[in-house]
Amino acid sequence: MDFRLTDDQQMIQAAAREFAQEVIAPTAHEFDKSGEFPAENIRRAGELGFMGVEVPEAYGGSGLDAISFVLMMEEIAAADAAHSTIISVNNSLYCNGILEHGTEAQKQHFVTPVASGRKIGCYGLTEPQSGSDASNMRTRAVKSADGSHYVITGKKSWITSGPVADFMLLFAMTDPAKGAKGVTAFLVEMDSPGVVRGKTEPKLGIRASATCEIEFQEVKVPGDRVLGREGQGFAIAMGILDAGRIGIAAQAVGIARAAYDASVAYAKERKAFGSPIGSFQMIQQKLADMKCRLDAARLLTLRAAWTKVEAKKNGGRNTTEGSVAKLYASETAMFCAHQAVQIHGGMGYSKEMPLERYFRDAKITEIYEGTSEIQRLVIARQETGLR
Ligand code: CAA
């Protein structure tokens, strides 16, 4: 087994590290405080090719692989998780699904401006009454008599980048009697009449990643905006989440790394009872446990990305590997952020340092793109074949 990265992978890792540390990290505290969307930083991330890493250059992206994507994500998240949420959703929940299932015209119109960061994409699956139980959706899409368009009515909630998005990949019921098999995916322009955005949600963490509810009041969508086939929407949504969860795993690795690196530095510098606290066994145990979990989370995330590359080449799915990586990495981010606050004592609890932000940001990785409970359900179902 060869753990070395290719030249392209090393290049994007280095470029993302430089951008993250020089541009994002110095602004992260202010964006966390204000909750403002970091539009200029995201525009610059687009110029650097981070908004469509796996999108071919012909459609405005960087034309790199899933491993490059997770390397970039770890670097951005180590500087600020909120920025990495915006970038992850744009790449994996939005662009990748359209690339896989879209027509040439759909890719040109809906991917090219988003992969280059000129426009922002979002993903509309969750509804007020259905988070984990995703197929229990009430948003309806009714086909016109002549088949030329659909009329969409309903509400989507917790939409990452919803307040600023130009396009949405939306899932709606075209045949409610068929349950999950009655869901269809649509590409919607967010300036269409009848699209109403709710207020930006105030959140515990990833505060600069704008989130809102979006109501669709009889929104007319042309028939050629169906992604894939009618009734294929739920399988498309789940396939996209198989990839999206790898992005969240990489985000969690980034948060865990930031918490770990700060803790090692502090353990060497902070003295108590006449010695650096890093010489005390109770601190050493915390650092050793953080290091083991961080390395394991990173390796699981890279394995998931690698299985995604293989699945793309040879067919097949990376469902289990994506869920294993997301579950383990998100719990690692929470563990490392928790330990980091403890190692820093009062300073860990202070807004003067980023530890409390890592702690607040880490929590979301155990919730979105499928809670830890849903990841365990997916893994167990895949392993046993039982429902
Ligand atoms: N790939 C392709 N098809 C899949 C699939 C996958 N990974 N998973 C399921 N399917 C197919 C199934 O094969 C099945 O089709 P068949 O009957 O033909 O076999 C169909 O989809 C229905 O599957 P299930 O019966 O397993 O569906 P379920 O209702 O039991 O739900 C679930 C399964 C795993 C619980 C699913 O609902 C789920 O993942 N829930 C969590 C939703 C989630 O992650 N939401 C996150 C929202 S996005 C977000 O958070 C974005 C953000 O802002 C960052």
Side-chain angles (χ1 to χ4, degrees):
M1 178 166 296
D2 188 349
F3 283 94
R4 277 171 304 186
L5 301 175
T6 65
D7 288 349
D8 278 350
Q9 290 162 353
Q10 288 180 44
M11 218 157 61
I12 191 163
Q13 185 183 46
R17 185 171 297 164
E18 189 183 325
F19 177 67
Q21 292 307 320
E22 287 179 10
V23 176
I24 296 179
T27 61
H29 176 68
E30 278 310 310
F31 280 119
D32 176 57
K33 208 159 80 181
S34 67
E36 190 191 322
F37 184 80
E40 175 57 17
N41 286 352
I42 293 301
R43 192 192 60 75
R44 289 176 71 177
E47 281 175 1
L48 290 165
F50 302 155
M51 297 304 276
V53 173
E54 295 166 74
V55 174
E57 289 172 72
Y59 301 114
S62 295
L64 298 173
D65 62 8
I67 293 167
S68 307
F69 172 62
V70 303
L71 295 169
M72 179 278 296
M73 277 294 298
E74 177 184 330
E75 295 304 327
I76 304 290
D80 181 43
H83 282 74
S84 69
T85 300
I86 301 162
I87 293 173
S88 184
V89 167
N90 206 73
N91 273 274
S92 55
L93 292 192
Y94 181 82
C95 288
N96 284 356
I98 307 175
L99 270 185
E100 191 176 338
H101 300 281
T103 62
E104 181 56 30
Q106 288 174 340
K107 290 181 204 172
Q108 293 284 357
H109 186 77
F110 288 99
V111 174
T112 304
V114 175
S116 55
R118 285 180 285 119
K119 290 190 186 284
I120 301 281
C122 67
Y123 178 87
L125 179 68
T126 301
E127 298 188 359
Q129 78 294 338
S130 65
S132 292
D133 186 8
S135 64
N136 176 31
M137 66 179 68
R138 292 190 190 145
T139 300
R140 298 277 180 268
V142 179
K143 205 181 204 167
S144 62
D146 64 0
S148 66
H149 65 271
Y150 292 79
V151 175
I152 300 185
T153 308
K155 250 187 209 168
K156 294 288 171 184
S157 50
W158 295 111
I159 304 305
T160 296
S161 299
V164 296
D166 299 284
F167 303 127
M168 177 186 273
L169 169 50
L170 167 89
F171 300 90
M173 276 287 178
T174 40
D175 192 346
K178 289 191 180 156
K181 291 209 161 38
V183 175
T184 299
F186 294 91
L187 295 165
V188 180
E189 313 233 7
M190 296 297 279
D191 59 0
S192 307
V195 175
V196 180
R197 303 179 210 233
K199 69 167 180 28
T200 300
E201 301 284 354
K203 304 191 296 293
L204 174 72
I206 55 160
R207 288 176 30 76
S209 149
T211 312
C212 71
E213 185 169 87
I214 300 179
E215 192 168 348
F216 295 83
Q217 298 174 345
E218 300 190 351
V219 175
K220 207 168 152 183
V221 175
D224 63 1
R225 300 287 164 88
V226 167
L227 183 71
R229 295 185 314 277
E230 228 184 70
Q232 199 193 355
F234 194 69
I236 291 177
M238 292 296 114
I240 290 173
L241 281 169
D242 285 349
R245 287 166 182 163
I246 304 173
I248 302 306
Q251 173 182 51
V253 171
I255 300 170
R257 181 185 106 193
Y260 173 71
D261 287 350
S263 300
V264 171
Y266 193 70
K268 290 200 287 190
E269 157 206 319
R270 171 73 178 174
K271 289 208 170 87
F273 308 103
S275 307
I277 61 169
S279 65
F280 303 146
Q281 288 183 354
M282 272 192 263
I283 300 292
Q284 290 174 344
Q285 183 189 359
K286 288 188 199 306
L287 293 177
D289 288 349
M290 289 162 85
K291 170 71 177 156
C292 292
R293 292 198 196 190
L294 172 59
D295 280 4
R298 184 182 287 118
L299 288 170
L300 287 173
T301 302
L302 287 167
R303 181 186 71 158
W306 180 80
T307 54
K308 186 181 164 213
V309 174
E310 289 298 297
K312 207 166 165 183
K313 273 195 263 173
N314 308 321
R317 276 163 51 172
N318 61 277
T319 306
T320 306
E321 292 82 1
S323 283
V324 167
K326 201 259 182 191
L327 173 64
Y328 192 80
S330 59
E331 294 190 347
T332 294
M334 205 57 221
F335 174 81
C336 289
H338 179 210
Q339 298 299 336
V341 169
Q342 192 67 18
I343 289 169
H344 284 76
M347 288 315 292
Y349 202 65
S350 166
K351 291 229 179 244
E352 298 288 310
M353 293 192 74
L355 288 310
E356 62 84 36
R357 172 162 59 85
Y358 302 154
F359 185 76
R360 288 184 286 109
D361 288 347
K363 185 62 206 165
I364 191 59
T365 65
E366 295 182 319
I367 297 174
Y368 61 15
E369 299 207 25
T371 60
S372 293
E373 290 76 7
I374 289 294
Q375 305 313 324
R376 288 187 164 89
L377 174 149
V378 169
I379 296 162
R381 281 185 178 180
Q382 289 290 315
E383 289 300 286
T384 62
L386 298 172
R387 302 296 312 277

